[in-house]
């Protein structure tokens, strides 16, 4: 029986991001300008289509463009649709232009936000817009766990949250601050959005589990240095960009299976050891194949069948 191919987890990511955006606009009163949001989505989808045709891809991945544009709608704020359009183009084109060993190096949304912050006037992010209400954090956590489980990248999310929590609580203990301060910093919707929907991107994380855990710790460490030693804002966004070039190195040092949207994980077959290691491994598919019959024996059987009387 043929193994059923799992569903593409990106549809759940789109549903979760759209739900988060709706929740933020209707409940948390996000300052989202409809013209800017429509520009982000429309320009991202159009750029994805044009770039796919330019490089000759066999199909148009609209789900990828929707994930990137909805993430931009949640974090990006622009003075006008023109600036938003530029960020959307940069976000999508980074997937086609900045690549290493068949993978795009940077998370597209993260790359677009950082380039927009550095190079475009009238662009900023609103990391504090989510507040720290427990209900918002719980909402993010439930949706995030569901999405990350579907894309098999739960390890990098939890590793990053544990490392970032260690940075915040370690700093509080070092300075003698009350532990309510780091706990309050962890109850932030933007942090959960980053952990569950940005750093866990299967296409920009290391292929092996050990590599993903090491990379998550690296991102948390760089973010802590950026934010608390250099006293610069948006430490998580810049740390993810600065740590992205380490992914190809980790893939080389600690190889693993490359993630494919909607593909079932390849089961590993143990290699036999000892004197029978040279014997072929019998598989169900091989067992189902008929055993070849020598040509002479086949002719002899055919001759005998012809000599039998008909019934």
């Amino acid at each position: 029986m043929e193994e059923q191919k799992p569903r593409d987890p990106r549809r759940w990511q789109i549903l979760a991001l759209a739900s988060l955006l709706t929740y933020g606009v209707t409940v948390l009163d996000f300052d989202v300008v409809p013209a800017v949001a429509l520009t982000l989505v429309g320009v991202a989808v159009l750029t994805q289509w044009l770039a796919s045709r330019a490089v000759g891809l066999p199909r148009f991945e609209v789900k990828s463009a929707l994930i990137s544009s909805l993430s931009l709608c949640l974090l990006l704020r622009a003075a006008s649709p023109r600036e938003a359009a530029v960020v959307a183009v940069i976000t999508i084109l980074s997937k086609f232009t900045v690549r290493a060993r068949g993978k795009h190096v940077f998370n597209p949304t993260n790359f677009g936000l950082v380039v927009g912050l550095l190079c475009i006037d009238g662009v900023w992010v609103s990391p504090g817009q989510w507040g720290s209400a427990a209900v918002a954090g719980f909402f993010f956590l439930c949706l995030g766990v569901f999405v990350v489980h579907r894309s098999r990248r739960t390890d990098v999310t939890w590793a990053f949250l544990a490392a970032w929590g260690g940075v915040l609580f370690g700093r509080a203990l070092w300075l003698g601050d009350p532990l309510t301060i780091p706990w309050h910093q962890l109850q932030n919707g933007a942090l959960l959005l980053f952990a569950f929907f940005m750093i866990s991107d299967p296409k920009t994380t290391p292929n092996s589990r050990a590599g993903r855990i090491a990379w998550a710790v690296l991102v948390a460490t760089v973010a802590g240095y950026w934010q608390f030693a250099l006293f610069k804002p948006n430490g998580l966004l810049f740390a993810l960009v600065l740590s992205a070039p380490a992914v190809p190195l980790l893939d080389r040092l600690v190889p693993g299976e490359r993630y494919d949207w909607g593909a079932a994980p390849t089961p590993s077959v143990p290699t036999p050891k000892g004197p029978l290691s040279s014997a072929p491994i019998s598989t169900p598919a091989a067992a189902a194949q008929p055993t070849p019959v020598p040509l002479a024996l086949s002719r002899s059987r055919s001759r005998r069948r012809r000599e039998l009387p008909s019934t």
Side-chain angles (χ1 to χ4, degrees):
M1 182 177 180
E2 185 179 356
E3 183 179 0
Q4 185 179 4
K5 187 177 181 180
R7 295 182 178 180
D8 191 337
R10 286 176 294 182
R11 67 184 65 185
W12 301 107
Q13 289 184 334
I14 294 171
L15 177 61
L17 290 171
S19 302
L20 294 176
L21 183 60
T22 303
Y23 175 77
V25 172
T26 58
V27 178
L28 301 180
D29 195 22
F30 280 8
D31 186 20
V32 177
V33 180
V36 172
L38 292 175
T39 299
L40 287 172
V41 176
V43 172
V45 172
L46 178 60
T47 306
Q48 178 83 24
W49 180 74
L50 293 174
S52 300
R53 289 179 60 89
V55 301
L57 291 182
R59 63 180 182 271
F60 166 47
E61 292 287 357
V62 66
K63 293 187 289 291
S64 178
L66 288 176
I67 291 173
S68 298
S69 58
L70 288 173
S71 300
L72 288 175
C73 290
L74 286 167
L75 290 175
L76 179 70
R77 297 295 174 263
S80 69
R82 180 180 59 185
E83 288 83 1
V86 175
V87 174
V89 171
I90 294 173
T91 297
I92 300 301
L93 289 184
S94 67
K95 296 187 294 182
F96 295 89
T97 57
V98 188
R99 304 179 66 86
R101 304 185 66 185
K103 296 171 57 176
H104 47 275
V105 177
F106 300 102
N107 175 272
T109 304
N110 176 243
F111 184 80
L113 288 172
V114 170
V115 174
L117 292 172
L118 293 176
C119 304
I120 304 174
D121 294 332
V123 169
W124 68 97
V125 296
S126 300
Q129 63 184 341
W130 301 96
S132 57
V135 62
F138 181 75
F139 184 76
F140 269 85
L141 188 61
C142 290
L143 286 179
V145 168
F146 182 72
V147 169
V148 174
H149 175 71
R150 283 278 182 172
S151 60
R152 303 198 298 272
R153 286 299 186 264
T154 312
D155 47 14
V156 68
T157 296
W158 293 122
F160 167 75
L161 288 175
W164 183 241
V167 170
L168 296 180
F169 279 94
R171 177 177 180 270
L173 292 175
W174 176 266
L175 297 177
D177 292 338
L179 296 183
T180 54
I181 293 179
W183 180 248
H184 177 79
Q185 292 172 326
L186 288 175
Q187 295 177 350
N188 185 284
L191 170 63
L192 296 175
L193 177 66
F194 176 87
F196 286 108
F197 296 95
M198 192 172 294
I199 194 176
S200 60
D201 176 19
K203 288 296 186 178
T204 54
T205 54
N207 295 329
S208 65
R209 170 165 293 182
R212 290 193 294 271
I213 293 175
W215 185 66
V217 174
L218 174 64
V219 173
T221 303
V222 174
Y225 179 79
W226 181 276
Q227 190 162 325
F228 301 123
L230 301 181
F231 302 102
K232 293 184 178 182
N234 303 314
L236 295 178
L237 296 178
F238 282 91
L240 189 57
V241 166
L242 294 174
S243 304
V247 174
L249 177 61
L250 289 171
D251 285 340
R252 183 179 294 273
L253 295 177
V254 191
E257 181 187 358
R258 180 174 298 182
Y259 184 83
D260 183 19
W261 292 112
T266 303
S268 58
V269 179
T271 303
K273 298 181 180 181
L276 300 179
S277 60
S278 58
I281 300 176
S282 176
T283 61
Q289 299 295 328
T291 304
V293 180
L295 181 59
L297 181 59
S298 177
R299 291 176 176 175
S300 175
R301 289 177 179 176
S302 178
R303 187 181 304 110
R304 287 198 300 269
R305 283 196 297 267
R306 289 198 300 268
E307 293 174 355
L308 292 176
S310 59
T311 58

